[in-house]
């Protein structure tokens, strides 16, 4: 099978090689999947780096934390040859061989049946980023967010998670304010449904006041750090922030005042170990609530040989939208 394999050189650093690999090297698992498409996430960029980003434990290693394809063989009664499936998370592509190959073998518990109406290519345009976006929107809704309550802020809006969040929220009737530090992405974000663009500089500065004017009815935050702290002080009474990333840093220089005086909720969104039932619900919502024409506008096609360069770019914030990887290229 053809694959991208990370191998350690004599200098102790990992390098990518695209070529043929024996299927006998596939790990133990219940289901063998003929992979059609994979994608590129921030974690993939780390796994493609010379030190594996601290995520890869053993070499040789096949990265790719997401994949979609067709079941080729299964020892689990839930899946049969020909079934269409998708996988995100479960540390596949990190500690377990992932989707940057023409075949993958995984535990049946890690797979989700691909909903009707979503192709493998579209599923990977969604990927972990879009799946996480939908989980964030669902969490905000579960905590009372509705379109009539006001504007919803999306930080890091031009990235993978942010792009899909903007498209989903706009489709559901929300007024979306999209935060970006790249002015050239404004037209792209508007095309996804953003009603206005907020320059990153407007929110990047930490202020001494723990509370500012109540502005946002909800927020999907992919940045963290000082920006998240600032946004918490701008949320409306009882509003929620769904935290999905830390592109701006893991530290949170905030106070508890927004939680105590405005009843603000900070909702942590994990997509890696999410239970099966939540995954099925989220993919069902993706099938119904993500406009596929908007999804198509996010796609940047790539092959396996493109991934080392793209992996380095995504770590620097240089990738817009969603990279969809044809593993046969």
């Amino acid at each position: 099978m053809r694959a991208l394999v990370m191998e350690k050189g004599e200098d102790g650093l990992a390098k990518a090689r695209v070529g043929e690999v024996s299927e006998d090297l596939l790990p133990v698992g219940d289901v063998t999947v003929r992979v059609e498409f994979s994608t590129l996430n921030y974690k993939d960029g780390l796994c493609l780096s010379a030190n594996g980003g601290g995520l890869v434990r053993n070499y040789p290693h096949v990265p790719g934390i997401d994949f979609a394809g067709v079941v080729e063989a299964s020892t689990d009664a839930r899946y049969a040859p020909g079934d269409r499936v998708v996988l995100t998370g479960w540390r596949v592509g990190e500690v377990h061989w992932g989707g940057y190959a023409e075949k993958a073998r995984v535990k049946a518990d890690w797979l989700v049946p691909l909903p009707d109406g979503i192709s493998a290519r579209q599923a990977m345009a969604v990927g972990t980023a879009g799946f996480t976006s939908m989980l964030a929107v669902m969490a905000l809704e579960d905590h009372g967010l509705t379109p009539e309550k006001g504007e919803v802020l999306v930080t890091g809006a031009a990235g993978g998670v942010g792009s899909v969040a903007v498209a989903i929220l706009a489709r559901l009737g929300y007024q979306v304010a999209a935060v970006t530090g790249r002015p050239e992405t404004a037209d792209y974000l508007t095309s996804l449904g953003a009603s206005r663009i907020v320059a990153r500089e407007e929110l990047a500065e930490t202020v001494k006041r723990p509370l500012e004017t109540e502005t946002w009815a909800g927020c999907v935050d992919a940045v963290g750090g000082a920006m998240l702290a600032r946004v918490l002080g701008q949320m409306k009474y009882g509003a929620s922030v769904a935290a999905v990333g830390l592109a701006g840093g893991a530290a949170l220089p905030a106070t508890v005042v927004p939680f105590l005086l405005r009843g603000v909720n900070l909702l942590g969104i994990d997509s890696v170990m999410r239970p099966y039932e939540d995954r099925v619900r989220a993919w069902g919502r993706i099938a119904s609530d993500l406009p596929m024409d908007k999804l198509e506008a996010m796609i940047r096609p790539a092959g396996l040989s493109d991934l080392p360069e793209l992996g380095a770019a995504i770590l620097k914030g240089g990738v817009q939208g969603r990279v969809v990887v044809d593993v046969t290229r």
Side-chain angles (χ1 to χ4, degrees):
M1 65 178 185
R2 190 166 181 269
L4 182 151
V5 185
M6 299 299 295
E7 299 173 326
K8 274 200 173 178
E10 294 181 359
D11 58 2
L13 300 178
K15 298 179 178 63
R17 175 181 69 85
V18 176
E20 295 297 316
V21 178
S22 172
E23 293 182 32
D24 294 338
L25 295 177
L26 286 171
V28 174
D30 309 311
V31 183
T32 302
V33 178
R34 176 169 52 81
V35 178
E36 295 178 332
F37 292 94
S38 186
T39 185
L40 178 73
N41 299 282
Y42 190 87
K43 277 188 178 180
D44 295 312
L46 293 173
C47 292
L48 288 163
S49 65
N51 65 356
L55 300 176
V56 180
R57 295 179 180 176
N58 299 299
Y59 293 90
H61 179 70
V62 175
I65 69 172
D66 301 336
F67 64 78
V70 178
V71 173
E72 186 173 88
S74 174
T75 60
D76 189 286
R78 288 171 289 179
Y79 294 101
D83 288 349
R84 300 166 62 247
V85 292
V86 60
L87 182 144
T88 62
W90 299 113
R91 303 212 68 190
V92 170
E94 301 174 48
V95 299
H96 192 92
W97 275 27
Y100 291 167
E102 292 180 319
K103 293 187 182 181
R105 186 175 293 135
V106 295
K107 293 182 179 181
D109 290 340
W110 297 346
L111 296 169
V112 176
L114 196 57
D116 291 340
I118 299 182
S119 68
R121 180 175 181 271
Q122 290 170 329
M124 287 299 94
V126 176
T128 284
F131 175 63
T132 303
S133 298
M134 181 53 79
L135 291 175
V137 172
M138 289 163 51
L140 292 174
E141 291 177 336
D142 290 345
H143 283 77
L145 180 65
T146 56
E148 59 269 17
K149 290 191 175 179
E151 272 189 302
V152 179
L153 188 72
V154 177
T155 69
V161 178
S163 293
V164 181
V166 169
I168 291 171
L169 288 163
R171 172 68 172 267
L172 293 172
Y174 291 92
Q175 294 294 306
V176 183
V179 182
T180 181
R182 293 178 279 169
E184 68 274 13
T185 65
D187 289 344
Y188 165 72
L189 292 168
T190 301
S191 73
L192 295 181
S195 52
R196 69 172 168 130
I197 306 300
V198 179
R200 180 171 57 195
E201 292 74 20
E202 294 184 28
L203 294 173
E205 182 183 357
T206 303
V207 297
K208 294 182 179 180
R209 301 185 305 279
L211 294 176
E212 298 182 72
T213 301
E214 295 183 41
T215 306
W216 316 114
C219 174
V220 177
D221 175 61
V223 175
M227 185 176 294
L228 173 56
R230 181 81 182 273
V231 168
L232 287 169
Q234 297 179 352
M235 302 305 295
K236 291 186 176 182
Y237 188 90
S240 300
V241 177
V244 300
L246 40 65
L252 184 59
T255 76
V256 298
V257 173
F259 309 119
L260 300 180
L261 297 187
R262 285 191 184 158
V264 171
N265 305 295
L266 181 57
L267 312 175
I269 306 299
D270 168 64
S271 65
V272 177
M273 309 302 291
R274 202 73 174 198
Y276 177 80
E277 294 75 14
D278 288 354
R279 292 175 182 271
V280 172
R281 180 186 168 208
W283 279 101
R285 287 288 304 274
I286 288 166
S288 63
D289 296 336
L290 176 59
M292 291 303 164
D293 58 330
K294 304 295 186 186
L295 186 67
E296 187 65 32
M298 303 178 201
I299 293 175
R300 176 176 179 173
L304 292 178
S305 59
D306 299 317
L307 288 169
E309 181 179 349
L310 288 171
I314 200 170
L315 295 180
K316 298 176 181 178
V319 174
Q320 175 181 298
R322 301 290 297 132
V323 174
V324 175
V325 182
D326 182 345
V327 299
T328 66
R329 287 180 48 205

